[in-house]
Amino acid sequence: MTAPHPLVATAQALADDLLAPHAERVDQEGVPESHIAAIRRSGLLGVSAPKEYGGAGAPDAVAREIMEILAGACCSTWFVQTQHHTPVKMLAKAELPVRKRLLRPLATGELLAGIAFAHVRAFPRVPVRATAEGDGWRFDGRVPWYTGWGLNDVMLLAGVTDADEVVFAFTEAREQPGLRPSPPMRLAALTAARTVSLELDGLWLPEESVVLRTPQDKFALVDRPRNTNASPAVFGVAYAALRLVEQAGEAEPARVLRGRLDEVRRRVYALAEHPVPHERIEERLALKTRSYDLMRAATSAAVVAQGGRAMDLGSPAQRLAREGLFLLVQGQTAEVRRAHLDALADIQGALCCSLDVQPRVGLGPAQ
């Protein structure tokens, strides 16, 4: 058996010793700075960063396994730190001054990055407009969701120009002229991740803060696989729920569900390695919705296995069930929503048909 990558072992130790034992408290009180400090020290923030900048340069398969481990242990902490990896990957591909300034401190964990660009997926609606102004860019509008406020050092912000070009630029993750955060949002799940909205009113960033300018249609093509592939976090939460089912003495339901989950995970990750990431979209979406089905089954099984105790806010079963609800809509696009709703309608239709095949005999009119 091949030994796991050192960072996988690091992630597992962090999950076992720190994240999982405190997950219920974090869920109620918020991700503490001490958790983020541990993540910074661990080297996990540089898993995909180039070695020459202090990162690990690990394969995507390693990064996926780490995501599973962290999400299954404490989804809120996972969600804060997972924002960091897209800016790192974007910087690694950029031959611009901002790369020299930021890539090493991000790769080593000296700085933690957040992201403010999911709103670009709403195009042709433009929640944030970017306008060339002097030797820089002005950003106006509203970022609906920004996670990690008060924990992140820098953010990667995007806006769309009048010419339908997407401009990505870095700025400090703090209140400043032209940038005002809302109070922290109270959410059904992952309130602990410190999510706010951001009002932008003339936030000006210099040209040297820009990491990428690209046509919107080109960005959409590159971005599409991020949303049509199932997130490793879905599997992390599902496996964590199945461990609770086993601990409740229900080994057989856990075994059956784990077998189904293992097979879908194998197929999802095989597609993630496909050399053309924007091909086989229908298959990716079908597997994504199937992974959602199995995650819901696993978290529901954990609640059922624990019975009434699962309704206590100190129970990991209800926490995982709520985290699963969050993952159903995390990074959701119109395409993913349509595929998911169509799949749910198919399931419901099949269920109704299966329940309605036998005629009612000798029972009188249906009540």
Side-chain angles (χ1 to χ4, degrees), residues 96-99 101 135-136 170 204-211:
L96 294 169
V98 70
R99 169 178 169 144
R101 177 167 60 90
D135 57 349
F170 281 94
W204 187 86
L205 300 178
E207 182 66 37
E208 57 263 29
S209 71
V210 173
V211 66

Side-chain angles (χ1 to χ4, degrees), residues 142-326:
R142 181 174 181 271
V143 175
W145 306 92
Y146 180 81
T147 293
W149 186 259
L151 295 171
N152 296 324
D153 303 297
V154 297
M155 75 168 74
L156 179 62
L157 171 66
V160 180
T161 71
D162 287 336
D164 296 343
E165 183 180 45
V166 186
V167 180
F168 291 84
F170 281 94
T171 186
E172 294 183 27
R174 61 174 178 81
E175 187 168 358
Q176 55 186 292
L179 188 159
R180 185 177 69 255
S182 73
M185 296 182 185
R186 288 184 55 80
L187 306 172
L190 275 73
T191 288
R194 304 195 192 188
T195 298
V196 299
S197 61
L198 302 174
E199 297 296 332
L200 306 175
D201 183 15
L203 174 68
W204 187 86
L205 300 178
E207 182 66 37
E208 57 263 29
S209 71
V210 173
V211 66
L212 179 66
R213 290 172 56 185
T214 186
Q216 184 278 331
D217 56 353
K218 184 176 180 181
F219 166 76
L221 183 65
V222 173
D223 185 57
R224 199 179 185 195
R226 298 189 186 116
N227 305 297
T228 54
N229 288 325
S231 168
V234 169
F235 300 110
V237 167
Y239 284 126
L242 293 180
R243 287 193 289 272
L244 293 182
V245 177
E246 288 177 329
Q247 291 167 14
E250 299 293 346
E252 184 59 15
R255 183 191 66 78
V256 171
L257 286 170
R258 179 173 283 104
R260 295 171 184 169
L261 193 64
D262 288 345
E263 174 59 18
V264 171
R265 177 183 182 270
R266 182 191 64 77
R267 295 175 62 190
V268 165
Y269 288 173
L271 268 183
E273 296 290 344
H274 189 275
V276 186
H278 55 270
E279 289 185 351
R280 298 170 68 176
I281 294 299
E282 288 188 6
E283 185 178 357
R284 295 175 194 272
L285 286 170
L287 287 169
K288 180 168 186 155
T289 56
R290 179 58 176 155
S291 72
Y292 284 158
D293 293 341
L294 290 168
M295 176 184 66
R296 288 198 313 274
T299 56
S300 296
V303 170
V304 171
Q306 290 201 350
R309 291 175 295 128
M311 294 299 100
D312 190 296
L313 287 178
S315 163
Q318 56 77 32
R319 172 180 57 81
L320 289 167
R322 289 186 291 106
E323 290 170 351
L325 286 174
F326 167 81

Side-chain angles (χ1 to χ4, degrees), residues 27-68:
D27 177 61
Q28 296 301 307
E29 299 177 7
V31 175
E33 292 187 7
S34 57
H35 273 37
I36 299 304
I39 294 283
R40 291 178 190 266
R41 292 191 301 268
S42 69
L44 296 177
L45 294 178
V47 58
S48 301
K51 290 182 179 180
E52 60 268 29
Y53 282 85
D60 288 344
V62 171
R64 287 193 293 267
E65 191 168 358
I66 290 171
M67 287 177 68
E68 278 190 25

